Amino acid sequence: RSAGMSDAEVEYTIETFDAHDRKRLIDDYHHYTDQEKLMEQARSAAESLARIFDEDATSRTLKKAAPVEDLVDLARDEGATSEAVAAATSDVPEKASA
């Protein structure tokens, strides 16, 4: 455990960072000869990743639970694997049937 996070949260954080980092590397490769573009993309990627983690920290701090479906969609959009999503949501109670 790290920084007061569960093992599932740590795994999700690692997966999110890794997916974001890999995407950035691929995007950077397309502009490897354009120093200004690389600097712009680095700033943008850092801001984006900071925003993702800030939003995540805020949601944990406020103890406001977003619908699990929204969190799963966000994780998948950020490139998290199915295993990481399953681990991160393993302790979430199932929705009550209507």
Side-chain angles (χ1 to χ4, degrees), residues 11-43:
E11 182 69 23
Y12 169 78
T13 300
I14 291 168
E15 289 280 341
T16 300
F17 176 83
D18 185 58
H20 193 272
D21 192 46
R22 288 175 189 268
K23 180 183 180 310
R24 186 179 147 229
L25 287 172
I26 291 168
D27 290 346
D28 286 352
Y29 176 75
H30 296 291
H31 303 285
Y32 71 94
T33 60
D34 186 344
Q35 181 93 18
E36 284 186 35
K37 183 71 172 176
L38 288 174
M39 289 172 41
E40 175 188 323
Q41 285 185 185
R43 273 191 298 274

Side-chain angles (χ1 to χ4, degrees), residues 66-76 89 92 95:
V68 172
E69 296 82 9
D70 292 348
L71 296 174
V72 169
D73 289 343
L74 175 62
R76 287 194 178 121
T89 59
V92 176
K95 239 166 101 172

